[in-house]
């Protein structure tokens, strides 16, 4: 989580106009395949595709080296889970809302920003979840007006306009992956764990408020990721300075993982309440925690090295930690390892593309979801 090291590369988390259209294709559980013309994403650096890079802090090489062959605004060596979501739905990768160059919003937009929290007063980024939703509301109003204006100009065919079709907002899938920095910030400022725990209900309430605002804007389908096992991040282990009794069998910091699990318990309860309050909407709660912990617990059999090591950056004999892509006094460089695909952690905080791909394959098919539906079936109400 970027709030654990504010000077580092920024970055440490899917209603009632009309139902999403469905294609007559049978899904894994006999459900019809949904047709989502767009994805709208909200979150932190786990799903930021360029906002932090455009607005707050450059994400330098060797970030992006594996897939994009250059920095892509993502806090990884390649694709993120949100990129694999877009691929699975047959859609292009999402442009960041805050990026003004080379963007195309025809099939959605990404409001996630590295360092963001659900709460307002924490983290590195000023773009907390409420602000991201506010940006979406502004985006929806402005693009709808502009699309309608341009459509009246017969010199510009509607299919050539790189803006979302106004009718697609109610058919899109809305993905949320955020909350990691809310807990990480508490550890950063050495807040007592009891106080961090006491803050969770309000954090989850603010998450619910954001969902309700999206619903009022016509969002119908939500794909919601829970919190990662934050105690298994290499940086968590290094900065927490744990004693042996605070580590689990995989070397993860137990108190931090227990905190994440409590957040997830309350988040899942809140999603259940939202299903009752908003019966026209479809909610899928995705247990990313269990998927990632399953990988961390079985690294060797899955072809990865020690999950507490990381590929890019350094921490060791020179007496300093060097962030990925950074130098100290112009000499020590936080470069990349030779084979990122063997590592789970890219930079001590974020996953490599290989690890993101492993997790995406296991969450997008519905195995870790409640209800247990694949993402292409997520428009069905539970």
């Amino acid at each position: 989580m970027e709030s654990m090291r504010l000077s580092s590369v920024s970055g440490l988390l899917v209603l009632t106009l009309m139902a999403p259209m469905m294609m007559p294709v049978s899904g894994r559980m006999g459900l019809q395949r949904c047709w989502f013309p767009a994805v709208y994403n909200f979150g932190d650096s786990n799903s930021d595709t360029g906002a932090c890079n455009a607005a707050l802090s450059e994400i330098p090489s060797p970030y992006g080296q594996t897939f994009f062959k250059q920095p892509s605004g993502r806090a990884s060596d390649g694709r993120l889970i949100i990129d694999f979501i877009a691929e699975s739905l047959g859609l292009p990768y999402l442009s960041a809302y805050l990026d003004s160059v080379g963007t195309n919003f025809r099939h959605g937009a990404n409001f996630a920003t590295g360092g963001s929290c659900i709460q307002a007063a924490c983290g590195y980024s000023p773009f907390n979840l409420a602000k991201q939703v506010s940006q979406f509301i502004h985006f929806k109003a402005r693009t709808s007006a502009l699309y309608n204006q341009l459509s009246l100009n017969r010199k510009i065919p509607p299919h050539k306009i790189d803006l979302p079709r106004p009718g697609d907002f109610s058919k899109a899938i809305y993905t949320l992956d955020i909350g990691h920095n809310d807990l990480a910030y508490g550890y950063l400022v050495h807040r007592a764990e009891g106080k961090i725990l006491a803050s969770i209900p309000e954090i989850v309430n603010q998450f619910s408020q954001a969902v309700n605002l999206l619903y009022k804007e016509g969002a119908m389908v939500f794909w919601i990721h829970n919190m990662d096992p934050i105690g298994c991040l290499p940086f968590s282990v290094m900065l927490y300075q744990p004693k042996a009794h605070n580590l689990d069998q995989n070397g993860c910091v137990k108190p931090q993982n227990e905190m994440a699990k409590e957040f997830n318990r309350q988040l899942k309860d809140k999603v259940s309440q939202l299903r009752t309050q908003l019966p026209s909407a479809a909610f899928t709660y995705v247990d990313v925690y269990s998927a990632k912990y399953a990988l961390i617990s079985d690294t060797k059999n899955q072809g990865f090295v020690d999950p507490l090591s990381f590929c890019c950056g350094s921490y060791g004999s020179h007496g300093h930690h060097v962030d990925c892509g950074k130098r100290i006094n112009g000499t020590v460089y936080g470069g990349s390892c030779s084979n990122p695909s063997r590592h789970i952690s890219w930079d001590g905080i974020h996953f490599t593309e290989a690890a993101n791909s492993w997790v995406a394959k296991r969450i997008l098919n519905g195995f870790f979801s409640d209800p247990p539906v694949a993402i292409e079936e997520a428009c069905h109400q539970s």
Side-chain angles (χ1 to χ4, degrees), residues 20-27 31-36 379-380:
M21 296 178 63
M22 296 186 295
M23 299 174 63
V25 179
S26 295
L31 298 174
Q32 288 181 301
R33 181 185 175 97
C34 311
W35 176 64
F36 298 117
C379 63
H380 300 280

Side-chain angles (χ1 to χ4, degrees), residues 61-221:
S61 176
Y63 284 90
Q65 68 176 22
T66 296
F67 182 79
F68 299 99
K69 309 305 179 185
Q70 60 184 355
S72 65
R74 292 161 173 79
S76 179
D77 63 310
R79 289 167 289 183
L80 310 176
I81 290 176
I82 189 63
D83 294 313
F84 292 110
I85 287 176
E87 287 182 6
S88 73
L89 298 176
L91 298 175
Y93 301 136
L94 294 183
S95 293
Y97 169 74
L98 293 178
D99 193 352
S100 61
V101 179
T103 52
N104 185 329
F105 298 120
R106 181 63 173 227
H107 297 286
N110 194 353
F111 297 88
T113 308
S116 293
C117 298
I118 295 173
Q119 307 171 91
C122 85
Y124 170 85
S125 166
F127 303 107
N128 68 310
L129 181 57
K131 178 64 69 175
Q132 292 179 27
V133 172
S134 177
Q135 290 173 335
F136 167 78
I137 293 171
H138 177 76
F139 171 86
K140 178 173 177 277
R142 292 293 302 277
T143 58
S144 295
L146 183 57
Y147 182 93
N148 291 331
Q149 178 184 341
L150 293 175
S151 295
L152 294 175
N153 182 352
R154 298 185 181 278
K155 294 181 181 179
I156 305 176
H159 68 274
K160 289 187 176 294
I161 301 174
D162 293 337
L163 296 173
R165 291 172 286 249
D168 285 351
F169 285 103
S170 62
K171 306 170 190 173
I173 186 169
Y174 290 75
T175 59
L176 295 101
D177 186 343
I178 193 168
H180 310 88
N181 294 309
D182 293 85
L183 299 192
Y185 180 77
Y187 286 106
L188 174 71
V189 298
H190 305 293
R191 187 173 296 159
E193 289 183 343
K195 290 187 177 181
I196 299 174
L197 184 65
S199 71
I200 292 177
E202 178 57 24
I203 295 171
V204 173
N205 282 337
Q206 291 185 32
F207 180 91
S208 178
Q209 291 167 13
V211 170
N212 272 278
L213 284 174
L214 291 172
Y215 178 83
K216 289 178 181 178
E217 289 295 319
M220 292 286 292
V221 182

Side-chain angles (χ1 to χ4, degrees), residues 2-54:
E2 2 8 38
S3 49
M4 300 175 78
R5 51 182 185 117
L6 302 186
S7 63
S8 68
V9 172
S10 308
L12 226 166
L13 240 303
V14 239
L15 304 169
T16 302
L17 297 180
M18 62 181 292
M21 296 178 63
M22 296 186 295
M23 299 174 63
V25 179
S26 295
R28 184 174 63 86
M29 298 180 65
L31 298 174
Q32 288 181 301
R33 181 185 175 97
C34 311
W35 176 64
F36 298 117
V39 178
Y40 291 99
N41 183 67
F42 305 84
D44 52 34
S45 61
N46 278 349
S47 59
D48 181 357
T49 56
C52 183
N53 186 70

Side-chain angles (χ1 to χ4, degrees), residues 247-267:
L247 300 180
D248 67 12
Q249 67 274 18
N250 295 310
C252 303
V253 181
K254 286 192 290 187
Q256 291 191 9
N257 278 352
E258 290 301 317
M259 196 73 68
K261 286 192 283 189
E262 176 57 23
F263 175 92
N264 291 341
R265 185 190 67 78
Q266 294 190 34
L267 177 65

